[in-house]
Every structure is written in C-alpha cells, then in structure tokens.
Amino acid sequence: MDIFLQQIINGLVLGSIYALVALGYTMVYGILGLINFAHGDIVMVGAMVALAVFQLLAAAGLPVPITLLVALAASMTICIALGVSIERVAYRPLRRAPRLAPLITAIGVSILIQYSAALIWGKQYIALPPLFKTTQLHLGGAHLTDLQAAIFLLACTVMATLYWFVTRTRLGAAMRATEQNPDIAGLMGININLIIALTFVIGSGLAAVAGLMVVLYYGIGHYYMGFILGLKAFTAAVLGGIGNVTGAMLGGLLLGVIESLASGYIGDLTGGVFGSNYRDVFAFLVLVLVLIFRPSGLMGQPSAERA
Amino acid sequence: MPGLRNTSFTVRIVVYAAIAALLLVLPFVVEPLLGRTWVRIIDVALLFVMLALGLNIVVGFAGLLDLGYVAFFAVGAYVYALLASPHFGIHWPFFLVLPLGAAVACFFGVLLGAPTLRLRGDYLAIVTLGFGEIIRIFLNNLNRPVNITNGPLGITLIDPIRFGDVSLSQHHVLGDLTFAPVHSYYYVFLACALLSIAISLRLEDSRIGRAWIAIREDEVAAKAMGIHTRNVKLLAFAMGASFGGISGGLFAAFQGFVSPESFALLDSIMILCMVVLGGMGHVPGVVLGAILLTALPEALRYVGPLQQSWFGEVLIDPSDLRMLLFGLALVLMMLFRPAGLWPSRVRKREFAE
C-alpha cells in the first residue's frame, strides 16, 4: 500500500510536467493540425539554459529564489524567441502545403535544435550544481519532498491560469475561434498570424517552465532529453483528446500515474521477467490502446476521420 | 526514364546497355579512384535503395505515414542473426532464413497495421514511431532472464551469404579480377535492388498500385468506388514490411553483426527522408534519394581533415555537422521543393496547385 501511494505521488509530479509539455503540443495541433516534433526539443533548450544559469550563479552565493527566478526568466526568454522564430521561418510558409511537408519540416527543426545544442553544450550529461537541500514530508507511509510539492503546485497554478486565459479572455476566445476555423476567424477580424504566434509563445513558455522542472527534478540535462519527453507528452495530449486544453492537463497527470504504477509493479507482476527498464514502453502502449478504442481521447469530440 | 519515352527503340537499348555495363563494372571503377571504403558505401546504398522502395510502397503509394519503418529492418536482421549464428548454435541456410525474416517482418507489419488502420496521417506516424521504439527497447532488454537478443551487445559472427560451397565472405579469383567480399555482396545487392525496382514499377501500374494511389488521394472516394480499403492498406503494410525484412537479413549477413543501435528512430527518419527528398511515390526519385542520402553524409567525413587544414583544429565534429546539415536540408527542402528532387508528374501537379 505504501508503494502504491508513493507511486501515485511520483506519478502526479511527473504527470504535471508531462501536462505542461502536452499543452504545447495540443495547442499547436489544435490550431495548425501539426505535430510540432520540435516541441520536446524546446523543452530541452529550456532545461539546458536553466542549467547554464545555475552553473553561472552557483558560485555567486545568491539566494536560491533569485537564482531560480533568473534561470526561469532566461529559459523562458530563449524558448519563446526560439518557438516564435520556428513558427515564422519554418511553419508559416507551409500552412497551406500538403500535411506531410510541415511534419517533415518539424522533424528537420527538431534535429537542427538537437545538434545545435550538442555543439553548444556538448554531448555529455550535464549535472545540476547543488543549489538547495530538499526536505521530506511524510504522507502516511509515503514520502513527498518539498521540491516535488513545489513542482506539482506550480504546474497546477500555471495550468489553472492558462485555463482561465483560454476560456475567459478575449484573446482566449480568439484562439478558440481560430482553432475552429482559421479562415472564418480571419474574416471575423481576428489576426490569425498573431494568434498562431501567441500559441507558440504560450507553448514555448510552458516548455521552458517544464524544462526547468525536469532539471530540478532529475538533476541532469542532455541534448537528447527532449525527444522521449516530447513523445510522452504527445501521448498525454492524445490521451486527453488532442486539441483540448483540459484534456492535455488530465492526460498528462494520468499518463504520469500510469507510468509510475506500471514501472513500480511490473517487476512483481511478471515475476521479475520484465523490469522497470521497460518503463518507456508503457507510454506507447497507452497511445496505441487509446487510438484503437477511443481515438478522440478522453475529453475530445469524435473526429477520427480527420486524425 | 521519362526523358527517353519518345526516343526510338535503338537509342533506348543503347542507353540501357550503357547503364547495365556501368553497373556491372562499378565496383572495379570506384575502388582504384576512391578506395575500397566507397565500394562498401555503394553496397550500403543499395541496401537503402531496397529499404526506401519498401517504405515508398507504404508512404509514397498508399499515403500511410510510417515513422517506425526501421523496426521491420530490425526484425529481418534479428531473425537472420538468431537463426544463422553461433548465438543459439543454429546455422540455417541463407535461402531459408532470408524469406523467413521477410515473413516475420510481414507478420509484424500486419500486426501493426491492423489496429491502426482507422487512423490517418499524423496519428499513424506517431503510433508507428512508438512501435519502432518498442521494438528497440525489447531488442535492448531481452537478454534476461533468458538471453534472446544478447541485449545492447548485439549478436556477432553471423553467417555470411553462401551459395552452395561458395561463401561471400571469402576472396574469389576470376581471371585477372579478385572479388573481395564487398565486391561479391555488391552483385547480390545490385540484383536485389534491381528486383525491388522492377517489383515497385510493376506494382505502381497494377490494380493494387492504383488502388493504393486512389486511397492516398481520397480515401472516402476510393471506398465509394468499391476498393476494399482495409485489405488494400494492410497489403501495403505487409509488402513494405517484407521489403524491410529482406534488406534486414541481407544487412545482417553483410555486416556479420547486429545490435539495437543500428535501428534507432533516426534511421527511420533517414529512410523517410530518402523517400520524400527523392520524390514520394516516384520510383526513380526514391532510388536517387536513397543513393544521395547514403553518399552525401559519407562525403562529409572529409570535412574533418579539411577543417584541420583550414583552421588548425576540428571546430565541428563531422558527424554532428552531418546531422546539422541534414536537419537544415529537410527544412529548406520542404520550404523550396516540397515535391522532392525528382517528383512524378502527378505529384508535381498537386504541389503546383
């Protein structure tokens, strides 16, 4: 029972990070109908920038909250600049092209970002310098560190704000209108280019937050780390119903929990035949199962044909 | 050869004879000029021609985006490696193992295709990508509790291709020519690649090929016209996977070694790019794409020494530079020439619209 609770806690924390990344996928997919393969790599850039800031400031002896804020500001600035320029240079000219073209472009951009990062930061794992000590809180028989709690709460706050923005503000309404039908939305006086750029701003900003969280949580960064994270976040977006903001949040949390539980119990369930080294398989299994049985996802409207 | 369509029969015969002669002597022309490495690169290029043609059936003809194609290559290679190496002490003959590898790959193709056929485009891309990763994770981890794949270490000492008593891993002397293994494999791979080209060309014009193209263009309309879309799509997956399985088997025999590392996602993307950069759905374009994308990165190896002589040090690792240029090429290509280098006439028209 303790393991169960522990895995749920770990899963929720991990899932909140997935959810932040999944939002970036789902918003871009909702508006452009494009799987932005480069999104995971934007998360990686956010993580690497944060690491670079930490390494610069670790010796300066600044208070921890200031260091964190500087790192967050730096990675958000760079990620947003990156996301918006990608949209402008690579995706905008292809908006009317056959669907395969932007997908291949996105793969190309992803490879470009990865290997540029390899050039800048090298190919080795980069470790987080010791910033602060985490303290453990006890919840029944399970542990929760204050870092975990902070990640989870911050992610929830960010998501709540985004939900409010999308459902209650004029810009949010414009985003939803563009998602429904870009052409008609344009006729109604919405500046489509601005809205799409805004989508990339929000998505990349969330990616930066997620990148910072990953670095703090795992303590390392690597030029290739965005890829598998991106895939899982995409799975989360599909699980929740792609194009649906609430769905992405729910899907992220759910996927995190499923993955934690599965990798926690697989050893016992299979008598040790399969170990937790199979953990990356679960996301894909979930993906395949969702697509077979409920292609529109948990929160989505049925639209299998377009998918 | 579109340019030759209106020329006389004699001219065509002469041109084809010249191409055939060139292909026959190619390794012995290349070796003195560029060295034996390049003969090997040509061998690999031929393997990739087969792979790209297989993927072209799925993506180019039927319009089903497959991002995990290398999984079938892996399946073919591992079937060969497991059944013809000291790993299990099984040494079945090549003529038995190769078709078996194709059959197993084909089975996996259907296994993947069946549940995902309702999906189209991007979703299918992601599922196939996931499938490819799952296969790789299993290859990496199936070394315990029972050692099946030998894990990340891979399987070594795989049997070479043997025709009766003639093993392709030995040198053979024929008159004045010495056939090293790379030369012998060249002719086997050339035969297989030409066969793949012939099959692809025939398929394209066949009833099935036309059904695939109809589905690619408009699935609903194709269904309304009486095409059994499910079976026809499954057939595309099965045939594409079989091509992959055969190339995998040949690859295993050629290298004598397989490990999960050779079957990463990047390889799937590389093969997809061969298809797309060359000209999706157009057989000559795909062949061109496969040859270009195998040869160009190899040529970039010379960039390392070049940097050394220009700047006094190697500023950018050639393999990283290769990937950077590859990513850049993908983006630029899609922006400026999305139909590919050598598109078929139909696709050219579509992109012009």
Side-chain angles (χ1 to χ4, degrees):
Chain A
M1 195 60 202
D2 295 350
I3 296 176
F4 183 73
L5 191 61
Q6 187 66 55
Q7 294 297 349
I8 296 263
I9 291 172
N10 294 346
L12 283 175
V13 176
L14 190 62
S16 63
I17 298 178
Y18 288 164
L20 285 184
V21 185
L23 283 167
Y25 279 100
T26 218
M27 290 197 307
V28 169
Y29 194 93
I31 284 193
L32 291 183
L34 160 74
I35 300 176
N36 181 11
F37 265 101
H39 191 64
D41 299 296
I42 294 182
V43 179
M44 175 272 294
V45 170
M48 298 305 264
V49 171
L51 271 174
V53 172
F54 286 141
Q55 284 183 333
L56 270 176
L57 296 185
L62 289 170
V64 173
I66 295 188
T67 318
L68 284 176
L69 277 181
V70 173
L72 184 64
S75 29
M76 277 184 98
T77 316
I78 290 180
C79 286
I80 289 175
L82 188 62
V84 172
S85 9
I86 292 172
E87 190 272 325
R88 186 69 193 82
V89 176
Y91 299 153
R92 192 176 297 182
L94 290 171
R95 233 176 257 168
R96 304 242 166 237
R99 295 177 76 88
L100 193 57
L103 189 75
I104 300 266
T105 311
I107 293 174
V109 172
S110 162
I111 294 174
L112 261 180
I113 298 181
Q114 264 175 39
Y115 284 86
S116 308
L119 274 186
I120 298 172
W121 291 293
K123 285 188 169 177
Q124 70 285 15
Y125 282 88
I126 298 179
L128 177 74
L131 279 178
F132 47 81
K133 281 202 173 67
T134 55
T135 42
Q136 289 204 333
L137 319 166
H138 293 272
L139 275 178
H143 304 290
L144 172 74
T145 63
D146 51 357
L147 176 66
Q148 283 181 315
I151 287 177
F152 184 69
L153 289 179
L154 177 62
C156 289
T157 317
V158 171
M159 287 190 282
T161 317
L162 183 71
Y163 183 76
W164 168 82
F165 176 81
V166 172
T167 51
R168 295 279 186 276
T169 63
R170 275 179 70 87
L171 273 177
M175 279 178 77
R176 281 180 291 139
T178 312
E179 203 177 307
Q180 288 288 322
N181 187 331
D183 293 329
I184 308 280
L187 291 176
M188 294 293 123
I190 293 171
N191 184 344
I192 302 297
N193 283 334
L194 185 77
I195 295 298
I196 292 177
L198 180 70
T199 308
F200 275 83
V201 168
I202 297 176
S204 311
L206 294 178
V209 179
L212 181 80
M213 288 175 171
V214 171
V215 161
L216 291 176
Y217 195 40
Y218 289 111
I220 46 172
H222 185 232
Y223 80 106
Y224 196 62
M225 65 190 266
F227 169 69
I228 200 89
L229 183 69
L231 274 185
K232 287 183 184 169
F234 180 79
T235 304
V238 173
L239 177 62
I242 193 138
N244 185 315
V245 171
T246 332
M249 303 177 188
L250 196 72
L253 291 176
L254 201 58
L255 185 70
V257 172
I258 292 173
E259 194 181 295
S260 282
L261 285 180
S263 58
Y265 282 102
I266 185 175
D268 295 341
L269 284 179
T270 58
V273 175
F274 295 114
S276 57
N277 42 356
Y278 285 92
R279 66 176 298 153
D280 288 346
V281 169
F282 303 120
F284 299 122
L285 283 181
V286 168
L287 183 67
V288 174
L289 291 177
V290 173
L291 288 177
I292 294 170
F293 293 110
R294 200 177 156 80
S296 54
L298 297 176
M299 308 278 290
Q301 309 295 321
S303 66
E305 206 41 64
R306 194 188 142 198
Chain B
M1 290 278 146
L4 289 174
R5 201 162 281 134
N6 298 321
T7 47
S8 74
F9 184 69
T10 356
V11 175
R12 262 190 281 174
I13 290 288
V14 170
V15 171
Y16 283 129
I19 293 175
L22 182 71
L23 285 177
L24 271 182
V25 298
L26 190 64
F28 294 99
V29 177
V30 166
E31 183 161 324
L33 291 176
L34 294 163
R36 188 161 284 179
T37 335
W38 275 90
V39 182
R40 202 183 152 76
I41 292 169
I42 294 175
D43 289 1
V44 176
L46 288 171
L47 273 180
F48 274 108
V49 166
M50 276 179 265
L51 274 175
L53 286 172
L55 184 62
N56 183 49
I57 292 177
V58 186
V59 183
F61 290 166
L64 303 163
L65 187 51
D66 186 346
L67 279 182
Y69 185 67
V70 86
F72 306 121
F73 186 53
V75 167
Y78 266 88
V79 167
Y80 193 99
L82 293 175
L83 296 180
S85 76
H87 182 59
F88 287 143
I90 305 173
H91 294 277
W92 286 3
F94 140 83
F95 283 113
L96 191 66
V97 183
L98 198 65
L100 196 65
V104 177
C106 177
F107 170 74
F108 272 97
V110 174
L111 197 71
L112 168 72
T116 53
L117 279 182
R118 281 194 302 165
L119 313 167
R120 296 185 58 194
D122 303 342
Y123 275 20
L124 187 64
I126 291 290
V127 173
T128 47
L129 191 158
F131 174 75
E133 286 297 291
I134 290 176
I135 293 262
R136 203 176 53 83
I137 293 171
F138 272 94
L139 290 179
N140 242 327
N141 289 305
L142 275 182
N143 53 344
R144 60 200 163 79
V146 184
N147 187 359
I148 301 173
T149 63
N150 210 20
L153 295 177
I155 298 172
T156 50
L157 298 172
I158 298 167
D159 298 348
I161 296 178
R162 253 190 225 102
F163 297 102
D165 293 335
V166 183
S167 162
L168 291 197
S169 66
Q170 281 151 10
H171 285 66
H172 298 282
V173 182
L174 204 75
D176 290 339
L177 289 176
T178 310
F179 287 81
V182 274
H183 299 117
S184 320
Y185 274 102
Y186 168 79
Y187 292 104
V188 176
F189 289 180
L190 181 66
C192 293
L194 289 176
L195 190 66
S196 312
I197 292 174
I199 293 175
S200 293
L201 285 173
R202 299 297 296 153
L203 268 178
E204 192 179 5
D205 262 341
S206 69
R207 182 183 275 268
I208 298 166
R210 280 160 195 276
W212 283 334
I213 292 166
I215 289 176
R216 182 186 78 196
E217 298 301 321
D218 189 332
E219 191 173 342
V220 179
K223 203 167 191 168
M225 287 292 127
I227 292 172
H228 199 309
T229 51
R230 191 192 69 207
N231 289 3
V232 172
K233 278 164 136 185
L234 269 185
L235 193 63
F237 264 116
M239 294 191 86
S242 314
F243 271 60
I246 291 200
S247 331
L250 293 174
F251 173 77
F254 177 59
Q255 297 272 343
F257 166 69
V258 291
S259 75
E261 232 172 81
S262 313
F263 312 106
L265 173 75
L266 196 63
D267 298 276
S268 283
I269 291 177
M270 199 67 143
I271 303 167
L272 180 69
C273 289
M274 291 170 178
V275 175
V276 175
L277 291 189
M280 242 176 36
H282 191 222
V283 174
V286 172
V287 173
L288 176 75
I291 294 172
L292 278 183
L293 272 188
T294 328
L296 285 183
E298 295 298 334
L300 278 178
R301 280 182 205 277
Y302 298 110
V303 172
L306 214 59
Q307 288 183 37
Q308 188 82 46
S309 64
W310 285 356
F311 307 114
E313 55 179 328
V314 179
L315 293 175
I316 300 179
D317 178 34
S319 68
D320 288 355
L321 182 68
R322 192 179 92 177
M323 291 313 298
L324 275 174
L325 290 179
F326 178 56
L328 193 64
L330 286 188
V331 176
L332 292 180
M333 190 79 190
M334 285 301 117
L335 288 179
F336 296 112
R337 213 178 152 78
L341 291 172
W342 192 353
S344 65
R345 279 176 302 163
V346 181
R347 283 203 80 76
K348 217 175 184 171
R349 224 183 306 135
E350 274 170 31
F351 276 92
E353 269 168 15

